[in-house]
Every structure is written in structure tokens, then in C-alpha cells.
Amino acid sequence: MAVIRLEVEVDSEVYPELYARLRAIGRVEAREERLRQLAASGLVWEAVRMHGPAATALSPPPPAKRARARPPEAQAVPVLVDVVAPPDEAPALPPPLQTEVRAPGPRSARLKRMLDRGLFKNG
């Protein structure tokens, strides 16, 4: 069996959620297994992104079975009708919200780091 050994560094400042979740797994073996699961699911998502949902579809049936298969017969589809009587009076509207307009608070340290690294530039 071929094996690829990787050493992965997860920066707690760049990926705080991922770092916290992986750090919460006490046993090293369990942490390594979780990383393998995340990598495998990431490969599936990448295949779907590149090739569409057909990338995960099962293989088509053999040609002999496909030739004998009949298309399903059309059946009468029931039509659902919902009759609602109009209300006598229009419903009362809730009172307008009484809120104060405040200036936004200071940016978080994580957003500042992302801004410094150029993650918000479109082009």
C-alpha cells in the first residue's frame, strides 16, 4: 500500500475555528483520522465543483439492460387547489421599529489581518 506522509500546520490566528476544533481532539491518532476525513471530503467537493454533480453519480447500467428498459408511463398528476377566502379587514401592521442609528464598532483583529493580506481585493 502506498502512503503519503504530510505535516500540516494550522495557524490559530488565520483559521481559529479549525484550530480550536482540531485542538479539542485529544488523541493524536483521532486528530490524524479527522484530518484524513476532512481531506477526503474536500476532494469530493472539489470534484463536484469541477465536474458538477455527475462526478459523484454511480456508473450507468450496462448497455444490454439499458436497451430493454421501458420509459415510465405517464400518470395523471393530481392538481392541488387551495381556496382561501379574502379577509374582511386588512391585518393590522406592526408599529415601526424604534432603533438608534449607530456607527459600526471597531473591526475585529481577524478582519484586519485579512485586509492586510489583501483578501478583499477583487482582481
Side-chain angles (χ1 to χ4, degrees), residues 32-107:
E32 290 173 353
E33 178 60 27
R34 185 63 184 143
L35 280 173
R36 278 192 287 278
Q37 291 170 356
L38 288 171
S41 62
L43 288 173
V44 170
W45 281 112
E46 182 65 14
V48 170
R49 187 184 70 80
M50 295 293 290
H51 304 290
T56 59
L58 299 175
S59 60
K65 289 185 180 180
R66 211 178 322 144
R68 285 186 263 154
R70 295 182 190 171
E73 294 180 18
Q75 297 178 353
V77 178
V79 177
L80 301 177
V81 179
D82 190 12
V83 178
V84 179
D88 294 336
E89 297 179 11
L93 297 175
L97 297 175
Q98 302 295 327
T99 59
E100 298 177 18
V101 178
R102 295 183 296 163
R107 289 190 173 196

XYZ file of all heavy atoms in Angstrom, residues 32-107:
563
model
N -5.429 12.810 13.540
C -4.953 12.458 12.202
C -6.074 11.865 11.360
O -6.199 12.170 10.173
C -3.800 11.473 12.303
C -2.524 12.079 12.852
C -1.437 11.048 13.092
O -1.710 9.833 12.965
O -0.309 11.463 13.417
N -6.916 11.021 11.975
C -8.041 10.437 11.244
C -9.027 11.516 10.812
O -9.543 11.505 9.694
C -8.752 9.389 12.104
C -9.953 8.758 11.440
C -9.613 8.030 10.144
O -8.468 7.559 9.969
O -10.503 7.959 9.273
N -9.276 12.487 11.675
C -10.196 13.580 11.331
C -9.642 14.401 10.174
O -10.382 14.811 9.278
C -10.441 14.472 12.555
C -11.458 15.543 12.318
C -12.816 14.941 12.018
N -13.755 15.984 11.694
C -14.708 15.879 10.791
N -14.876 14.757 10.149
N -15.512 16.870 10.545
N -8.332 14.642 10.162
C -7.723 15.360 9.038
C -7.858 14.572 7.737
O -8.110 15.142 6.677
C -6.256 15.660 9.331
C -5.994 16.860 10.218
C -4.521 16.946 10.571
C -6.447 18.136 9.556
N -7.711 13.240 7.806
C -7.896 12.410 6.611
C -9.334 12.514 6.115
O -9.588 12.616 4.914
C -7.544 10.951 6.912
C -6.063 10.658 6.842
C -5.786 9.166 6.865
N -5.997 8.581 8.183
C -5.111 8.602 9.173
N -3.944 9.172 8.979
N -5.371 8.044 10.324
N -10.305 12.503 7.037
C -11.712 12.624 6.649
C -11.985 13.984 6.007
O -12.699 14.075 4.998
C -12.610 12.443 7.869
C -12.607 11.042 8.418
C -13.323 10.955 9.759
O -13.763 11.951 10.305
N -13.430 9.741 10.284
N -11.425 15.048 6.587
C -11.610 16.380 6.014
C -10.998 16.474 4.625
O -11.573 17.076 3.714
C -11.005 17.442 6.938
C -11.759 17.706 8.233
C -10.928 18.604 9.145
C -13.104 18.336 7.953
N -9.823 15.874 4.443
C -9.175 15.898 3.131
C -10.004 15.129 2.100
O -10.184 15.593 0.966
C -7.769 15.306 3.233
N -10.538 13.974 2.481
C -11.346 13.181 1.551
C -12.622 13.928 1.163
O -12.992 13.973 -0.013
C -11.693 11.830 2.178
N -13.282 14.546 2.140
C -14.500 15.289 1.809
C -14.164 16.516 0.962
O -14.937 16.906 0.081
C -15.269 15.685 3.073
O -14.501 16.536 3.877
N -13.014 17.124 1.197
C -12.584 18.245 0.363
C -12.353 17.826 -1.074
O -12.681 18.569 -2.012
N -11.819 16.620 -1.282
C -11.623 16.124 -2.646
C -12.953 15.887 -3.342
O -13.104 16.168 -4.535
C -10.805 14.828 -2.623
C -9.335 14.999 -2.271
C -8.672 13.637 -2.110
C -8.624 15.804 -3.333
N -13.944 15.381 -2.600
C -15.267 15.165 -3.188
C -15.873 16.503 -3.600
O -16.399 16.657 -4.703
C -16.180 14.417 -2.199
C -17.625 14.403 -2.697
C -15.682 13.003 -1.993
N -15.809 17.496 -2.711
C -16.365 18.808 -3.037
C -15.663 19.425 -4.234
O -16.293 20.067 -5.078
C -16.284 19.751 -1.836
C -17.356 19.489 -0.842
C -17.200 18.987 0.412
C -18.760 19.693 -1.000
N -18.417 18.869 1.036
C -19.391 19.298 0.195
C -19.545 20.167 -2.033
C -20.768 19.363 0.364
C -20.916 20.236 -1.854
C -21.507 19.843 -0.672
N -14.357 19.255 -4.327
C -13.614 19.804 -5.458
C -14.032 19.114 -6.755
O -14.176 19.764 -7.796
C -12.116 19.647 -5.226
C -11.247 20.223 -6.311
C -11.352 21.739 -6.453
O -11.888 22.415 -5.551
O -10.898 22.267 -7.483
N -14.244 17.798 -6.719
C -14.691 17.074 -7.918
C -16.066 17.557 -8.355
O -16.321 17.753 -9.547
C -14.713 15.572 -7.643
N -16.966 17.789 -7.396
C -18.298 18.293 -7.728
C -18.202 19.699 -8.294
O -18.891 20.052 -9.251
C -19.220 18.253 -6.484
C -20.516 18.996 -6.747
C -19.497 16.820 -6.090
N -17.321 20.515 -7.731
C -17.158 21.872 -8.226
C -16.628 21.875 -9.658
O -17.066 22.649 -10.502
C -16.203 22.660 -7.324
C -16.103 24.139 -7.678
C -15.080 24.842 -6.830
N -13.718 24.454 -7.137
C -13.004 24.925 -8.178
N -13.528 25.794 -8.990
N -11.777 24.510 -8.388
N -15.698 20.986 -9.950
C -15.075 20.955 -11.275
C -15.967 20.284 -12.328
O -16.023 20.739 -13.460
C -13.734 20.214 -11.212
C -12.687 20.897 -10.359
S -12.135 22.455 -11.050
C -11.232 21.892 -12.456
N -16.653 19.194 -11.937
C -17.370 18.388 -12.923
C -18.879 18.352 -12.703
O -19.580 17.664 -13.438
C -16.834 16.957 -12.913
C -15.358 16.884 -13.139
N -14.775 17.165 -14.354
C -14.338 16.606 -12.301
C -13.461 17.041 -14.250
N -13.168 16.711 -13.013
N -19.385 19.039 -11.714
C -20.817 19.045 -11.443
C -21.226 17.818 -10.644
O -20.411 16.968 -10.313
N -22.517 17.705 -10.335
C -22.999 16.584 -9.532
C -22.768 15.230 -10.185
O -22.762 14.209 -9.512
C -24.493 16.862 -9.382
C -24.673 18.299 -9.676
C -23.558 18.684 -10.595
N -22.565 15.193 -11.499
C -22.339 13.921 -12.180
C -21.046 13.260 -11.719
O -20.864 12.061 -11.909
C -22.299 14.138 -13.686
N -20.153 14.018 -11.090
C -18.890 13.441 -10.635
C -19.102 12.413 -9.541
O -18.287 11.518 -9.363
C -17.962 14.543 -10.125
N -20.195 12.506 -8.813
C -20.455 11.556 -7.731
C -21.508 10.530 -8.104
O -21.841 9.672 -7.294
C -20.926 12.300 -6.465
O -22.109 13.027 -6.768
C -19.854 13.233 -5.956
N -22.049 10.592 -9.314
C -23.096 9.655 -9.731
C -22.512 8.257 -9.913
O -21.333 8.089 -10.216
C -23.741 10.122 -11.029
N -23.367 7.271 -9.730
C -22.961 5.887 -9.959
C -22.767 5.653 -11.447
O -23.319 6.364 -12.284
C -24.023 4.940 -9.397
C -24.260 5.048 -7.895
C -25.422 4.144 -7.504
C -23.015 4.667 -7.126
N -22.031 4.613 -11.778
C -21.796 4.316 -13.192
C -23.107 3.903 -13.850
O -23.975 3.315 -13.214
C -20.755 3.209 -13.325
O -21.228 2.048 -12.686
N -23.274 4.203 -15.146
C -24.523 3.860 -15.832
C -24.668 2.343 -15.955
O -23.677 1.611 -15.929
C -24.376 4.521 -17.197
C -22.917 4.703 -17.382
C -22.337 4.870 -16.006
N -25.890 1.840 -16.108
C -26.080 0.397 -16.244
C -25.485 -0.096 -17.554
O -25.279 0.674 -18.494
C -27.606 0.237 -16.231
C -28.138 1.572 -16.617
C -27.128 2.576 -16.145
N -25.206 -1.390 -17.641
C -24.652 -1.940 -18.886
C -25.609 -1.715 -20.050
O -26.822 -1.610 -19.863
C -24.506 -3.437 -18.594
C -24.673 -3.589 -17.131
C -25.348 -2.385 -16.603
N -25.084 -1.645 -21.292
C -25.928 -1.353 -22.458
C -27.063 -2.348 -22.648
O -28.132 -1.983 -23.080
C -24.958 -1.395 -23.642
C -23.614 -1.253 -23.053
C -23.683 -1.726 -21.643
N -26.882 -3.631 -22.341
C -27.926 -4.628 -22.542
C -29.142 -4.304 -21.678
O -30.280 -4.393 -22.124
C -27.393 -6.013 -22.208
N -28.947 -3.915 -20.447
C -30.062 -3.592 -19.569
C -30.712 -2.273 -19.981
O -31.900 -2.107 -19.854
C -29.594 -3.506 -18.118
C -29.242 -4.839 -17.528
C -28.895 -4.699 -16.067
C -28.544 -6.039 -15.462
N -28.202 -5.945 -14.055
N -29.902 -1.345 -20.464
C -30.421 -0.048 -20.849
C -31.355 -0.184 -22.060
O -32.355 0.499 -22.166
C -29.269 0.891 -21.187
C -29.592 2.322 -20.884
C -28.469 3.276 -21.157
N -27.154 2.771 -20.823
C -26.057 3.026 -21.508
N -26.109 3.802 -22.560
N -24.893 2.531 -21.145
N -31.061 -1.100 -23.004
C -31.863 -1.254 -24.206
C -33.233 -1.834 -23.870
O -34.222 -1.523 -24.511
C -31.135 -2.140 -25.208
N -33.326 -2.709 -22.870
C -34.585 -3.350 -22.525
C -35.468 -2.494 -21.629
O -36.642 -2.754 -21.491
C -34.311 -4.675 -21.821
C -33.856 -5.748 -22.785
C -33.754 -7.054 -22.073
N -32.357 -7.220 -21.689
C -31.931 -7.937 -20.682
N -32.774 -8.561 -19.923
N -30.661 -8.035 -20.419
N -34.915 -1.486 -21.014
C -35.693 -0.686 -20.076
C -36.722 0.157 -20.815
O -36.440 0.743 -21.856
C -34.771 0.206 -19.262
N -37.953 0.193 -20.281
C -39.012 0.991 -20.882
C -39.139 2.305 -20.123
O -38.947 2.338 -18.914
C -40.335 0.259 -20.797
C -40.381 -0.993 -21.599
C -41.752 -1.604 -21.491
N -41.748 -2.942 -22.065
C -42.748 -3.776 -21.970
N -43.838 -3.430 -21.322
N -42.677 -4.961 -22.520
N -39.492 3.352 -20.834
C -39.710 4.613 -20.109
C -40.960 4.489 -19.245
O -41.898 3.768 -19.590
C -39.886 5.649 -21.214
C -40.263 4.859 -22.423
C -39.657 3.494 -22.261
N -41.000 5.161 -18.120
C -42.182 5.065 -17.266
C -43.402 5.662 -17.961
O -43.309 6.636 -18.696
C -41.797 5.871 -16.020
C -40.703 6.769 -16.470
C -39.998 6.051 -17.581
N -44.538 5.036 -17.710
C -45.769 5.512 -18.332
C -46.239 6.770 -17.622
O -46.097 6.912 -16.416
C -46.844 4.433 -18.246
C -46.503 3.200 -19.061
C -47.586 2.147 -18.966
O -48.712 2.499 -18.565
O -47.298 1.002 -19.296
N -46.818 7.648 -18.429
C -47.310 8.898 -17.851
C -48.550 8.605 -17.018
O -49.433 7.853 -17.431
C -47.635 9.885 -18.954
N -48.605 9.187 -15.842
C -49.758 9.017 -14.967
C -50.423 10.367 -14.785
O -49.793 11.408 -14.924
C -49.314 8.469 -13.611
C -48.687 7.101 -13.693
C -48.220 6.626 -12.329
O -48.252 7.373 -11.385
N -47.790 5.389 -12.275
N -51.697 10.313 -14.472
C -52.419 11.556 -14.220
C -51.900 12.161 -12.918
O -51.826 11.489 -11.892
C -53.915 11.281 -14.122
N -51.498 13.392 -12.988
C -50.963 14.082 -11.816
C -52.078 14.904 -11.191
O -52.714 15.713 -11.875
C -49.782 14.997 -12.207
C -49.260 15.737 -11.002
C -48.699 14.181 -12.868
N -52.363 14.697 -9.902
C -53.432 15.485 -9.289
C -53.016 16.948 -9.165
O -51.855 17.269 -8.964
C -53.601 14.845 -7.904
C -52.297 14.191 -7.640
C -51.749 13.766 -8.966
N -53.986 17.821 -9.326
C -53.750 19.247 -9.203
C -54.317 19.685 -7.862
O -55.495 19.457 -7.572
C -54.416 20.033 -10.351
C -54.219 21.523 -10.173
C -53.872 19.565 -11.676
N -53.489 20.293 -7.052
C -53.922 20.753 -5.749
C -54.411 22.193 -5.866
O -53.737 23.044 -6.426
C -52.773 20.668 -4.748
C -52.186 19.283 -4.543
C -51.012 19.354 -3.583
C -53.238 18.324 -4.024
N -55.572 22.443 -5.325
C -56.154 23.768 -5.373
C -56.459 24.175 -3.946
O -57.083 23.425 -3.198
C -57.449 23.787 -6.218
C -58.058 25.171 -6.234
C -57.160 23.307 -7.621
N -56.010 25.349 -3.562
C -56.250 25.852 -2.217
C -57.103 27.101 -2.340
O -56.689 28.092 -2.946
C -54.922 26.169 -1.518
C -55.106 26.450 -0.045
O -56.202 26.177 0.474
O -54.150 26.930 0.577
N -58.290 27.049 -1.788
C -59.200 28.187 -1.863
C -59.167 28.881 -0.511
O -59.451 28.276 0.519
C -60.634 27.738 -2.197
C -61.577 28.929 -2.230
C -60.645 26.985 -3.511
N -58.814 30.158 -0.530
C -58.736 30.942 0.693
C -59.682 32.122 0.542
O -59.587 32.891 -0.421
C -57.295 31.439 0.947
C -57.225 32.280 2.197
C -56.348 30.265 1.018
N -60.563 32.257 1.508
C -61.492 33.374 1.468
C -60.748 34.656 1.838
O -59.908 34.658 2.737
C -62.639 33.134 2.442
N -61.030 35.771 1.139
C -60.333 37.021 1.477
C -60.776 37.512 2.856
O -61.939 37.345 3.236
C -60.760 37.986 0.379
C -62.015 37.419 -0.177
C -61.951 35.936 0.024
N -59.881 38.114 3.618
C -60.263 38.596 4.937
C -61.180 39.808 4.819
O -61.129 40.558 3.843
C -58.925 38.969 5.586
C -58.024 39.239 4.439
C -58.481 38.335 3.320
N -62.023 39.986 5.841
C -62.941 41.127 5.845
C -62.185 42.442 5.988
O -62.525 43.436 5.376
C -63.973 40.988 6.967
C -64.888 39.790 6.711
O -65.025 39.393 5.534
O -65.442 39.252 7.676
N -61.185 42.431 6.839
C -60.395 43.639 7.070
C -58.919 43.332 6.823
O -58.477 42.206 6.996
C -60.569 44.120 8.509
C -61.971 44.527 8.867
C -62.054 44.974 10.313
O -61.003 45.162 10.940
O -63.166 45.140 10.797
N -58.188 44.350 6.442
C -56.746 44.186 6.260
C -56.105 43.976 7.630
O -56.514 44.597 8.615
C -56.160 45.407 5.580
N -55.114 43.115 7.733
C -54.482 42.890 9.026
C -53.739 44.148 9.490
O -53.237 44.933 8.687
C -53.506 41.748 8.764
C -53.267 41.779 7.298
C -54.519 42.317 6.686
N -53.728 44.324 10.797
C -53.047 45.492 11.366
C -51.543 45.341 11.203
O -50.993 44.266 11.413
C -53.413 45.638 12.841
N -50.897 46.416 10.806
C -49.446 46.390 10.639
C -48.784 46.618 11.981
O -49.292 47.367 12.818
C -49.001 47.462 9.649
C -49.515 47.303 8.219
C -49.098 48.511 7.386
C -48.989 46.031 7.612
N -47.620 45.993 12.204
C -46.917 46.222 13.466
C -46.376 47.652 13.505
O -46.151 48.281 12.463
C -45.779 45.201 13.446
C -45.589 44.879 12.011
C -46.928 45.054 11.352
N -46.165 48.183 14.703
C -45.640 49.553 14.790
C -44.222 49.607 14.232
O -43.494 48.617 14.239
C -45.663 49.849 16.288
C -45.649 48.518 16.943
C -46.366 47.587 16.007
N -43.798 50.765 13.728
C -42.436 50.864 13.187
C -41.410 50.659 14.305
O -41.662 50.966 15.467
C -42.362 52.277 12.622
C -43.466 53.022 13.283
C -44.519 52.017 13.632
N -40.267 50.131 13.919
C -39.204 49.870 14.884
C -38.569 51.182 15.343
O -38.318 52.071 14.539
C -38.133 48.970 14.274
C -38.593 47.565 13.880
C -37.451 46.840 13.184
C -39.037 46.788 15.106
N -38.317 51.271 16.609
C -37.639 52.434 17.181
C -36.203 52.035 17.498
O -35.927 51.467 18.535
C -38.360 52.895 18.456
C -39.817 53.261 18.255
C -39.978 54.479 17.356
O -39.135 55.378 17.364
N -41.052 54.504 16.589
N -35.312 52.289 16.576
C -33.911 51.913 16.782
C -33.028 53.134 16.618
O -33.368 54.081 15.915
C -33.465 50.843 15.775
O -33.633 51.364 14.459
C -34.270 49.570 15.936
N -31.900 53.065 17.261
C -30.914 54.134 17.132
C -29.959 53.795 15.999
O -29.636 52.638 15.777
C -30.109 54.259 18.429
C -30.930 54.621 19.637
C -30.063 54.652 20.888
O -28.825 54.735 20.770
O -30.635 54.589 21.969
N -29.504 54.804 15.301
C -28.510 54.609 14.260
C -27.152 54.824 14.904
O -26.864 55.894 15.438
C -28.721 55.588 13.090
C -27.647 55.406 12.050
C -30.101 55.392 12.497
N -26.346 53.752 14.881
C -25.025 53.840 15.493
C -23.953 53.609 14.445
O -24.170 52.888 13.471
C -24.870 52.773 16.580
C -25.805 52.964 17.758
C -25.545 51.918 18.804
N -25.863 50.597 18.245
C -25.450 49.456 18.763
N -24.695 49.447 19.832
N -25.782 48.304 18.229
N -22.819 54.201 14.679
C -21.672 53.948 13.804
C -21.164 52.534 14.079
O -21.248 52.050 15.201
C -20.572 54.967 14.082
N -20.660 51.846 13.054
C -20.148 50.496 13.290
C -18.972 50.530 14.256
O -18.202 51.487 14.302
C -19.725 50.013 11.898
C -19.597 51.242 11.077
C -20.501 52.272 11.670
N -18.840 49.447 15.028
C -17.768 49.353 16.010
C -16.428 49.089 15.345
O -16.321 48.986 14.115
N -15.384 48.973 16.132
C -14.059 48.717 15.557
C -14.011 47.339 14.906
O -14.717 46.428 15.308
C -13.134 48.787 16.773
C -14.017 48.505 17.938
C -15.364 49.028 17.577
N -13.195 47.226 13.876
C -13.069 45.952 13.174
C -12.331 44.953 14.043
O -11.456 45.308 14.827
C -12.310 46.137 11.873
C -13.113 46.882 10.863
C -12.440 46.819 9.550
N -13.328 47.401 8.557
C -13.169 47.230 7.274
N -12.173 46.533 6.823
N -14.008 47.782 6.422
